[in-house]
Amino acid sequence: GENVEQHPSTLSVQEGDSAVIKCTYSDSASNYFPWYKQELGKRPQLIIDIRSNVGEKKDQRIAVTLNKTAKHFSLHITETQPEDSAVYFCAQRDTDKLIFGTGTRLQVFP
Amino acid sequence: NAGVMQNPRHLVRRRGQEARLRCSPMKGHSHVYWYRQLPEEGLKFMVYLQKENIIDESGMPKERFSAEFPKEGPSILRIQQVVRGDSAAYFCASSPGGRAMRTEAFFGQGTRLTVV
């Protein structure tokens, strides 16, 4: 079945450093790749997404890159801040549902 | 525009009881998805519904679990004869769906089910 692998499972960085989370997917027909941020005890919130017709998208300190040939996509957070600490999930759209990665727990130390 | 509304936020049930979780999608959204999140784990797809139709239930356990999205009213996820292993956060998401470019899915606050 469809599968999304996400690495690393945990990531600790110093405030101001960059953080990169990578995901690999198996379904070559996928055309939509969102990223969600989930703070402790709260709902997942969409932070950025990318569609298969572009290779990169930026929104302030957050960027996502997509390599369709290699079937992987990455989340890049620059100038990290303590409030970026959360669990981040990548996802791919399979037909009309989202399949999620296993999550990355990001800790940003002040 | 209210977001995805789920209730209750917290639900405690004894083993063997029934749990009913409700989800009202965002205004204008006709597609509803249910996900389960076990503690310290990811989001597992359960079921995808449109009004009065189950489109994909490949993630639903074969027994005790059912879902509906009636023409009027919220979507309901029903768990019969709950067991301790059903304890989890259940999230509902909605989207405009279809083949349109706008396929973002927005999540509700979740229902945290505890089976005692």
Side-chain angles (χ1 to χ4, degrees):
Chain A
E2 303 80 14
N3 188 37
V4 181
E5 292 188 5
Q6 184 171 347
H7 300 281
S9 56
T10 59
L11 180 59
S12 297
V13 300
Q14 207 71 34
E15 182 178 0
D17 287 350
S18 295
V20 180
I21 303 170
K22 298 181 180 179
C23 287
T24 305
Y25 62 97
S26 56
D27 183 4
S28 57
S30 292
N31 58 10
Y32 175 66
F33 307 90
W35 286 88
Y36 285 81
K37 175 184 180 182
Q38 187 178 30
E39 297 177 357
L40 187 63
K42 297 190 177 180
R43 64 181 161 186
Q45 290 198 296
L46 179 69
I47 55 171
I48 195 167
D49 56 15
I50 191 167
R51 291 177 172 83
S52 57
N53 55 344
V54 297
E56 183 176 359
K57 183 177 178 181
K58 278 186 180 180
D59 183 4
Q60 299 181 341
R61 296 187 297 109
I62 295 173
V64 58
T65 58
L66 171 65
N67 183 327
K68 283 216 76 176
T69 303
K71 290 193 275 187
H72 63 71
F73 56 113
S74 301
L75 178 71
H76 304 253
I77 306 174
T78 58
E79 300 172 30
T80 53
Q81 301 167 4
E83 51 265 39
D84 293 330
S85 297
V87 179
Y88 291 81
F89 293 98
C90 63
Q92 66 162 83
R93 185 167 70 108
D94 164 49
T95 314
D96 285 313
K97 67 179 185 282
L98 293 176
I99 303 298
F100 285 86
T102 48
T104 296
R105 183 175 299 279
L106 173 65
Q107 284 187 299
V108 181
F109 293 98
Chain B
N1 184 9
V4 180
M5 303 299 293
Q6 287 188 251
N7 68 83
R9 291 288 305 279
H10 300 275
L11 181 62
V12 179
R13 284 288 178 264
R14 295 186 185 280
R15 281 178 294 170
Q17 291 185 319
E18 178 180 288
R20 279 183 171 241
L21 288 62
R22 294 174 184 78
C23 169
S24 296
M26 286 180 69
K27 188 177 180 181
H29 288 190
S30 58
H31 296 241
V32 166
Y33 314 81
W34 285 93
Y35 287 82
R36 177 164 62 177
Q37 187 174 37
L38 295 170
E40 302 295 320
E41 292 193 12
L43 294 150
K44 299 295 184 186
F45 169 77
M46 298 182 75
V47 62
Y48 159 43
L49 311 101
Q50 297 177 29
K51 285 282 187 183
E52 299 185 278
N53 285 305
I54 296 174
I55 307 302
D56 184 339
E57 56 182 347
S58 57
M60 286 278 271
K62 294 289 183 252
E63 297 177 349
R64 302 189 297 109
F65 285 71
S66 62
E68 62 177 10
F69 190 13
K71 187 177 180 181
E72 302 291 338
S75 174
I76 306 284
L77 179 67
R78 183 180 175 204
I79 311 172
Q80 295 178 292
Q81 299 174 332
V82 296
V83 300
R84 287 220 170 109
D86 296 333
S87 296
Y90 292 83
F91 287 96
C92 168
S94 74
S95 79
R99 297 184 182 277
M101 286 299 291
R102 288 187 60 81
T103 54
E104 297 91 337
F106 298 93
F107 282 85
Q109 297 281 19
T111 293
R112 279 153 184 81
L113 172 67
T114 302
V115 179
V116 297

mmCIF file of all heavy atoms in Angstrom, chain A residues 97, chain B residues 32-35 44-49 53-60 66-68 75-77 93:
data_model
loop_
_atom_site.group_PDB
_atom_site.id
_atom_site.type_symbol
_atom_site.label_atom_id
_atom_site.label_comp_id
_atom_site.label_asym_id
_atom_site.label_seq_id
_atom_site.Cartn_x
_atom_site.Cartn_y
_atom_site.Cartn_z
ATOM 1 N N LYS A 97 -7.496 11.065 -0.072
ATOM 2 C CA LYS A 97 -7.173 11.062 1.352
ATOM 3 C C LYS A 97 -5.688 11.319 1.525
ATOM 4 O O LYS A 97 -4.892 11.139 0.620
ATOM 5 C CB LYS A 97 -7.554 9.728 1.991
ATOM 6 C CG LYS A 97 -6.745 8.531 1.520
ATOM 7 C CD LYS A 97 -7.218 7.283 2.249
ATOM 8 C CE LYS A 97 -6.362 6.065 1.906
ATOM 9 N NZ LYS A 97 -6.705 5.509 0.588
ATOM 10 N N VAL B 32 -15.222 14.539 4.516
ATOM 11 C CA VAL B 32 -14.804 14.359 5.901
ATOM 12 C C VAL B 32 -13.913 13.134 6.005
ATOM 13 O O VAL B 32 -14.174 12.101 5.380
ATOM 14 C CB VAL B 32 -16.042 14.194 6.811
ATOM 15 C CG1 VAL B 32 -15.644 13.660 8.177
ATOM 16 C CG2 VAL B 32 -16.764 15.523 6.976
ATOM 17 N N TYR B 33 -12.863 13.273 6.804
ATOM 18 C CA TYR B 33 -11.914 12.184 7.022
ATOM 19 C C TYR B 33 -11.762 11.985 8.522
ATOM 20 O O TYR B 33 -11.703 12.952 9.268
ATOM 21 C CB TYR B 33 -10.527 12.542 6.448
ATOM 22 C CG TYR B 33 -10.551 13.127 5.056
ATOM 23 C CD1 TYR B 33 -10.845 14.462 4.850
ATOM 24 C CD2 TYR B 33 -10.266 12.343 3.939
ATOM 25 C CE1 TYR B 33 -10.876 15.015 3.576
ATOM 26 C CE2 TYR B 33 -10.288 12.887 2.664
ATOM 27 C CZ TYR B 33 -10.593 14.218 2.490
ATOM 28 O OH TYR B 33 -10.615 14.762 1.230
ATOM 29 N N TRP B 34 -11.660 10.753 8.923
ATOM 30 C CA TRP B 34 -11.387 10.444 10.331
ATOM 31 C C TRP B 34 -10.017 9.791 10.440
ATOM 32 O O TRP B 34 -9.672 8.889 9.663
ATOM 33 C CB TRP B 34 -12.444 9.500 10.905
ATOM 34 C CG TRP B 34 -13.763 10.141 11.182
ATOM 35 C CD1 TRP B 34 -14.843 10.203 10.355
ATOM 36 C CD2 TRP B 34 -14.155 10.805 12.392
ATOM 37 N NE1 TRP B 34 -15.884 10.868 10.972
ATOM 38 C CE2 TRP B 34 -15.491 11.249 12.226
ATOM 39 C CE3 TRP B 34 -13.521 11.077 13.611
ATOM 40 C CZ2 TRP B 34 -16.192 11.935 13.217
ATOM 41 C CZ3 TRP B 34 -14.214 11.755 14.587
ATOM 42 C CH2 TRP B 34 -15.533 12.175 14.396
ATOM 43 N N TYR B 35 -9.254 10.265 11.432
ATOM 44 C CA TYR B 35 -7.930 9.722 11.720
ATOM 45 C C TYR B 35 -7.846 9.369 13.199
ATOM 46 O O TYR B 35 -8.462 10.010 14.037
ATOM 47 C CB TYR B 35 -6.835 10.748 11.397
ATOM 48 C CG TYR B 35 -6.589 10.959 9.923
ATOM 49 C CD1 TYR B 35 -7.405 11.809 9.190
ATOM 50 C CD2 TYR B 35 -5.560 10.305 9.257
ATOM 51 C CE1 TYR B 35 -7.196 11.999 7.826
ATOM 52 C CE2 TYR B 35 -5.339 10.491 7.900
ATOM 53 C CZ TYR B 35 -6.167 11.342 7.198
ATOM 54 O OH TYR B 35 -5.963 11.530 5.854
ATOM 55 N N LYS B 44 -3.271 7.895 11.765
ATOM 56 C CA LYS B 44 -3.631 6.754 10.924
ATOM 57 C C LYS B 44 -5.004 6.978 10.300
ATOM 58 O O LYS B 44 -5.979 7.201 11.015
ATOM 59 C CB LYS B 44 -3.662 5.464 11.761
ATOM 60 C CG LYS B 44 -2.336 5.121 12.390
ATOM 61 C CD LYS B 44 -1.272 4.808 11.369
ATOM 62 C CE LYS B 44 0.020 4.367 12.050
ATOM 63 N NZ LYS B 44 1.109 4.196 11.068
ATOM 64 N N PHE B 45 -5.049 6.903 8.994
ATOM 65 C CA PHE B 45 -6.301 7.087 8.286
ATOM 66 C C PHE B 45 -7.296 5.981 8.653
ATOM 67 O O PHE B 45 -6.926 4.796 8.730
ATOM 68 C CB PHE B 45 -6.052 7.067 6.774
ATOM 69 C CG PHE B 45 -7.299 6.991 5.953
ATOM 70 C CD1 PHE B 45 -8.091 8.118 5.762
ATOM 71 C CD2 PHE B 45 -7.697 5.796 5.380
ATOM 72 C CE1 PHE B 45 -9.256 8.045 5.008
ATOM 73 C CE2 PHE B 45 -8.851 5.718 4.616
ATOM 74 C CZ PHE B 45 -9.632 6.842 4.434
ATOM 75 N N MET B 46 -8.542 6.386 8.863
ATOM 76 C CA MET B 46 -9.582 5.399 9.161
ATOM 77 C C MET B 46 -10.605 5.341 8.021
ATOM 78 O O MET B 46 -10.814 4.292 7.420
ATOM 79 C CB MET B 46 -10.290 5.743 10.469
ATOM 80 C CG MET B 46 -9.385 5.737 11.685
ATOM 81 S SD MET B 46 -10.297 6.104 13.186
ATOM 82 C CE MET B 46 -11.156 4.547 13.434
ATOM 83 N N VAL B 47 -11.237 6.492 7.752
ATOM 84 C CA VAL B 47 -12.346 6.467 6.801
ATOM 85 C C VAL B 47 -12.514 7.836 6.172
ATOM 86 O O VAL B 47 -12.194 8.856 6.781
ATOM 87 C CB VAL B 47 -13.648 6.022 7.515
ATOM 88 C CG1 VAL B 47 -14.032 7.004 8.620
ATOM 89 C CG2 VAL B 47 -14.806 5.832 6.541
ATOM 90 N N TYR B 48 -13.014 7.804 4.920
ATOM 91 C CA TYR B 48 -13.259 9.039 4.165
ATOM 92 C C TYR B 48 -14.705 8.997 3.693
ATOM 93 O O TYR B 48 -15.142 8.011 3.093
ATOM 94 C CB TYR B 48 -12.263 9.107 3.009
ATOM 95 C CG TYR B 48 -12.627 10.009 1.855
ATOM 96 C CD1 TYR B 48 -13.163 11.282 2.053
ATOM 97 C CD2 TYR B 48 -12.393 9.598 0.550
ATOM 98 C CE1 TYR B 48 -13.469 12.092 0.968
ATOM 99 C CE2 TYR B 48 -12.687 10.405 -0.535
ATOM 100 C CZ TYR B 48 -13.228 11.646 -0.318
ATOM 101 O OH TYR B 48 -13.520 12.459 -1.385
ATOM 102 N N LEU B 49 -15.430 10.055 3.982
ATOM 103 C CA LEU B 49 -16.849 10.092 3.643
ATOM 104 C C LEU B 49 -17.208 11.382 2.917
ATOM 105 O O LEU B 49 -16.620 12.428 3.163
ATOM 106 C CB LEU B 49 -17.720 10.026 4.914
ATOM 107 C CG LEU B 49 -17.428 8.956 5.944
ATOM 108 C CD1 LEU B 49 -16.655 9.531 7.111
ATOM 109 C CD2 LEU B 49 -18.719 8.344 6.450
ATOM 110 N N ASN B 53 -22.307 8.994 1.792
ATOM 111 C CA ASN B 53 -21.510 7.955 1.147
ATOM 112 C C ASN B 53 -20.195 7.719 1.871
ATOM 113 O O ASN B 53 -19.527 8.664 2.284
ATOM 114 C CB ASN B 53 -21.177 8.348 -0.301
ATOM 115 C CG ASN B 53 -22.367 8.204 -1.212
ATOM 116 O OD1 ASN B 53 -22.968 7.137 -1.302
ATOM 117 N ND2 ASN B 53 -22.719 9.280 -1.890
ATOM 118 N N ILE B 54 -19.836 6.458 2.010
ATOM 119 C CA ILE B 54 -18.502 6.100 2.462
ATOM 120 C C ILE B 54 -17.666 5.851 1.223
ATOM 121 O O ILE B 54 -17.974 4.974 0.416
ATOM 122 C CB ILE B 54 -18.529 4.842 3.351
ATOM 123 C CG1 ILE B 54 -19.314 5.125 4.642
ATOM 124 C CG2 ILE B 54 -17.100 4.409 3.688
ATOM 125 C CD1 ILE B 54 -19.508 3.894 5.514
ATOM 126 N N ILE B 55 -16.607 6.643 1.067
ATOM 127 C CA ILE B 55 -15.790 6.544 -0.137
ATOM 128 C C ILE B 55 -14.640 5.558 0.055
ATOM 129 O O ILE B 55 -14.319 4.775 -0.837
ATOM 130 C CB ILE B 55 -15.236 7.920 -0.540
ATOM 131 C CG1 ILE B 55 -16.366 8.955 -0.650
ATOM 132 C CG2 ILE B 55 -14.447 7.814 -1.842
ATOM 133 C CD1 ILE B 55 -17.452 8.578 -1.641
ATOM 134 N N ASP B 56 -14.024 5.613 1.221
ATOM 135 C CA ASP B 56 -12.867 4.762 1.478
ATOM 136 C C ASP B 56 -12.845 4.440 2.959
ATOM 137 O O ASP B 56 -12.707 5.335 3.773
ATOM 138 C CB ASP B 56 -11.589 5.501 1.053
ATOM 139 C CG ASP B 56 -10.328 4.658 1.204
ATOM 140 O OD1 ASP B 56 -10.330 3.673 1.970
ATOM 141 O OD2 ASP B 56 -9.318 4.997 0.562
ATOM 142 N N GLU B 57 -13.000 3.197 3.296
ATOM 143 C CA GLU B 57 -12.960 2.793 4.717
ATOM 144 C C GLU B 57 -11.847 1.775 4.942
ATOM 145 O O GLU B 57 -11.929 0.929 5.825
ATOM 146 C CB GLU B 57 -14.302 2.245 5.176
ATOM 147 C CG GLU B 57 -14.824 1.078 4.359
ATOM 148 C CD GLU B 57 -16.187 0.590 4.835
ATOM 149 O OE1 GLU B 57 -16.630 0.975 5.944
ATOM 150 O OE2 GLU B 57 -16.814 -0.185 4.088
ATOM 151 N N SER B 58 -10.812 1.885 4.142
ATOM 152 C CA SER B 58 -9.729 0.905 4.202
ATOM 153 C C SER B 58 -8.981 0.914 5.531
ATOM 154 O O SER B 58 -8.311 -0.056 5.861
ATOM 155 C CB SER B 58 -8.746 1.139 3.053
ATOM 156 O OG SER B 58 -8.240 2.457 3.094
ATOM 157 N N GLY B 59 -9.087 1.981 6.297
ATOM 158 C CA GLY B 59 -8.381 2.055 7.562
ATOM 159 C C GLY B 59 -9.240 1.718 8.777
ATOM 160 O O GLY B 59 -8.772 1.765 9.910
ATOM 161 N N MET B 60 -10.465 1.375 8.541
ATOM 162 C CA MET B 60 -11.384 1.077 9.652
ATOM 163 C C MET B 60 -11.217 -0.370 10.103
ATOM 164 O O MET B 60 -11.179 -1.287 9.272
ATOM 165 C CB MET B 60 -12.837 1.278 9.194
ATOM 166 C CG MET B 60 -13.212 2.721 9.057
ATOM 167 S SD MET B 60 -13.649 3.467 10.615
ATOM 168 C CE MET B 60 -15.410 3.106 10.624
ATOM 169 N N SER B 66 -17.840 2.033 13.044
ATOM 170 C CA SER B 66 -18.645 2.429 11.900
ATOM 171 C C SER B 66 -18.640 3.950 11.803
ATOM 172 O O SER B 66 -18.373 4.646 12.782
ATOM 173 C CB SER B 66 -20.075 1.896 12.008
ATOM 174 O OG SER B 66 -20.712 2.433 13.150
ATOM 175 N N ALA B 67 -18.928 4.446 10.616
ATOM 176 C CA ALA B 67 -18.954 5.894 10.406
ATOM 177 C C ALA B 67 -20.076 6.237 9.449
ATOM 178 O O ALA B 67 -20.443 5.437 8.584
ATOM 179 C CB ALA B 67 -17.611 6.385 9.867
ATOM 180 N N GLU B 68 -20.603 7.432 9.632
ATOM 181 C CA GLU B 68 -21.636 7.912 8.721
ATOM 182 C C GLU B 68 -21.516 9.423 8.586
ATOM 183 O O GLU B 68 -20.968 10.112 9.450
ATOM 184 C CB GLU B 68 -23.030 7.537 9.233
ATOM 185 C CG GLU B 68 -23.389 8.142 10.573
ATOM 186 C CD GLU B 68 -24.810 7.803 10.991
ATOM 187 O OE1 GLU B 68 -25.453 6.970 10.348
ATOM 188 O OE2 GLU B 68 -25.268 8.403 11.981
ATOM 189 N N SER B 75 -20.923 14.373 10.895
ATOM 190 C CA SER B 75 -20.436 13.020 10.690
ATOM 191 C C SER B 75 -20.272 12.366 12.061
ATOM 192 O O SER B 75 -19.899 13.026 13.031
ATOM 193 C CB SER B 75 -19.092 13.048 9.964
ATOM 194 O OG SER B 75 -18.548 11.747 9.879
ATOM 195 N N ILE B 76 -20.553 11.092 12.140
ATOM 196 C CA ILE B 76 -20.467 10.354 13.392
ATOM 197 C C ILE B 76 -19.508 9.186 13.219
ATOM 198 O O ILE B 76 -19.629 8.415 12.250
ATOM 199 C CB ILE B 76 -21.832 9.775 13.814
ATOM 200 C CG1 ILE B 76 -22.907 10.867 13.858
ATOM 201 C CG2 ILE B 76 -21.725 9.038 15.154
ATOM 202 C CD1 ILE B 76 -22.836 11.775 15.039
ATOM 203 N N LEU B 77 -18.579 9.077 14.150
ATOM 204 C CA LEU B 77 -17.744 7.875 14.253
ATOM 205 C C LEU B 77 -18.225 7.129 15.484
ATOM 206 O O LEU B 77 -18.252 7.683 16.581
ATOM 207 C CB LEU B 77 -16.270 8.229 14.381
ATOM 208 C CG LEU B 77 -15.310 7.036 14.527
ATOM 209 C CD1 LEU B 77 -15.271 6.207 13.248
ATOM 210 C CD2 LEU B 77 -13.893 7.513 14.878
ATOM 211 N N ALA B 93 -11.044 15.633 9.858
ATOM 212 C CA ALA B 93 -10.593 16.689 8.959
ATOM 213 C C ALA B 93 -11.622 16.853 7.855
ATOM 214 O O ALA B 93 -12.346 15.907 7.526
ATOM 215 C CB ALA B 93 -9.225 16.352 8.362
#
